[in-house]
Amino acid sequence: MNIKEPEVVIIQLIKNIPHKIKVTFYSGLIWGFLFHGYMILNKFTNQDDQNRIVDTLTSSHAISLGRWSLLFYRNLFDKVTMPWVNGLVAIICASIISCLIVSLFKIKNSINCILISGIIVGYPSLVGTMGYMFTVDAYMMAFLTSVIGIYLAVNCKNKWLSSIIAIILIAVAIGTYQLYLFTTITILFILVLLDTLEINNVIVNIKTGLRYIIIIISSYILYEVISRLFLQKYDRGLNSYLDMDTNGIGAVLAEPERLYRPYTQFIDFFLEYDYGTTVSNLLPTIYIGMVIIMLLMIITLIKKNKANSILNITLTMVLILLIPFVTALIYITTTNISDVSFRMVYSLAFVPVLFISILDRFIQLKIDNLTMSSGKNLINWASILMCGIIIFNQYLVDNKAYLLTGIAYEQAYSYWNNMMGRIEQNEEYTINMPIALVGNSFKSPYYKTYNRQFSCAKTTRPTLGGIADLSNIITSWSRYRFPYSYLGVESPIMTNPEGLEYFENPIVQEMPVYPLVGSMKVIDGVMVVKLSDS
């Protein structure tokens, strides 16, 4: 047996990587630092991350959320939230995902490879996920697992074996974060649509689509079976978060109007959505322009590739009409649309990716007519410019969100530091005395002093969930964590249910609201701080 030196093998492997894949990966890393460097070089927090500096995610809690494979990914790294580690892993995963997408969608032009990596790595869905830094590495590794499953299903010669492996990998990805089901569906959908532009065989295209549908359904069934087994083992029920305990075909049948939501939300997202940046007013016009150009390119590709049978054109038209439904499919799964945050709509990033994929095929066409050739080049330049503006907009949105997260952290630090200073100066206070925060923080005049309403999380549709503003950090379900985790306060701060017991106390009823004098009193050995009158 001739075993080669590691250096020789590694160098050979690198040499064998196609140029376009190298371009995609390296540009993905560069985009990653431009988009997310601010976050991974600092340590900010949100409502959940306050309790996850040292990750305390329990098996039973993960199971109740339907995320049984999350624990596997979390165990790959130290259970300490380290942005430079977790964030960097996420960027590397996003870059590799971009490479696989470039390969799956058969992108040839290097500029288009760079654009695709910019869209995928910089899309604000990753920003929302970065807010949950303690688990962003696991989520992105799960997303990568799903795309690897798709890649194997598409490229392996043994379709049966590759399909089985894909089903398992996709189920594992869904078992980490259910929303990757929708990105998986979107990617497979785009693959079928791109095939109809090149293969003039409806039977083949439909068979391919049916195979992908079977893979998706089988993956989801496998996910559900494993979830039920874990729930039974841990004697837990499925959490009601995002209607996970009631979702399904029955929920859609009970509210058939949900079937229209993807279209209305898709239109709202691309044509009415306010990113809150200096280029936001251009975006609706750009998206309309992209639709017009994309339709022109599709018509040209069908003609040039002779994929113009009536049946194939009909199939292509049906798939085009389904683009909003498939990419915004998540909106039919929840009762309350406002529960859908940006990290949950990664599938919408593949709308511009689809545009770039069609553009790549369009510019490869050989056109002899000088006028038509010039027109093709003009479309190419216009498309690159539009995609560049979209990516630049993502750059602004991402870094604005991270800046505001930093401001929220500073606000929270000042808010809690001042409050703890007042508590410790109280003559009745003793070391390690329990503290009860009574009332609603948001109704306190002191809260209004600190919360300057900077956060884009309050002005975007959908929200950049996970990116904190002050209200996230001092909510009733998380406000006891920040002083302990970030200020080193040893006194236990009661959770909201415990603190509410003091609200009906006559002494508390007569107390003024914090920060007024007399808003703090020791009652039965507990330092009670009244935050509001209701």
Side-chain angles (χ1 to χ4, degrees), residues 352-478:
V353 169
L354 170 62
F355 174 80
I356 297 169
S357 303
I358 294 173
L359 172 67
D360 191 81
R361 284 158 172 75
F362 176 76
I363 63 178
Q364 304 302 326
L365 294 175
K366 293 182 180 180
I367 298 177
D368 297 328
N369 184 289
L370 182 61
T371 302
M372 292 185 66
S373 180
S374 297
K376 184 183 77 170
N377 291 335
L378 179 62
I379 288 175
N380 192 11
W381 277 107
S383 300
I384 291 173
L385 178 62
M386 289 189 294
C387 291
I389 292 174
I390 291 172
I391 291 173
F392 179 67
N393 183 80
Q394 291 181 176
Y395 174 69
L396 294 177
V397 170
D398 294 0
N399 283 281
K400 176 184 176 182
Y402 292 142
L403 170 66
L404 297 175
T405 300
I407 291 174
Y409 169 81
E410 295 293 341
Q411 289 176 328
Y413 185 88
S414 180
Y415 179 90
W416 287 120
N417 205 38
N418 286 344
M419 182 181 291
M420 294 309 304
R422 286 278 302 274
I423 290 172
E424 291 173 355
Q425 290 174 9
N426 192 293
E427 293 180 355
E428 299 178 285
Y429 174 77
T430 59
I431 296 175
N432 295 330
M433 175 180 286
I435 299 172
L437 303 177
V438 179
N440 191 327
S441 302
F442 311 142
K443 295 181 180 180
S444 165
Y446 202 51
Y447 163 73
K448 294 177 181 178
T449 300
Y450 278 92
N451 188 43
R452 298 299 185 186
Q453 299 298 328
F454 291 123
S455 180
C456 57
K458 290 298 181 186
T459 59
T460 57
R461 303 186 307 269
T463 66
L464 275 170
I467 297 301
D469 61 5
L470 179 59
S471 62
N472 280 345
I473 302 176
I474 64 173
T475 52
S476 58
W477 68 86
S478 65

Side-chain angles (χ1 to χ4, degrees), residues 251-268:
V252 177
L253 292 177
E255 298 180 66
E257 63 272 14
R258 289 191 187 193
L259 294 173
Y260 299 100
R261 284 185 190 171
Y263 288 95
T264 57
Q265 293 302 311
F266 182 91
I267 293 171
D268 179 72

Side-chain angles (χ1 to χ4, degrees), residues 165 176 208 211 283 287 296 314 321 325 376 413 475 501:
I165 295 174
T176 303
T208 301
R211 176 170 171 253
L283 290 179
Y287 288 130
L296 290 173
T314 302
L321 292 174
F325 183 82
K376 184 183 77 170
Y413 185 88
T475 52
E501 295 179 5

Side-chain angles (χ1 to χ4, degrees), residues 419-438 489 491-494 498-499 502 508 511 514 518-531:
M419 182 181 291
M420 294 309 304
R422 286 278 302 274
I423 290 172
E424 291 173 355
Q425 290 174 9
N426 192 293
E427 293 180 355
E428 299 178 285
Y429 174 77
T430 59
I431 296 175
N432 295 330
M433 175 180 286
I435 299 172
L437 303 177
V438 179
V489 174
S491 294
I493 298 179
M494 294 182 176
E498 296 173 315
Y502 290 88
V508 176
M511 289 166 56
Y514 178 81
S519 59
M520 301 179 179
K521 287 186 181 296
V522 174
I523 301 176
D524 298 330
V526 175
M527 173 60 71
V528 178
V529 182
K530 185 177 179 181
L531 300 178

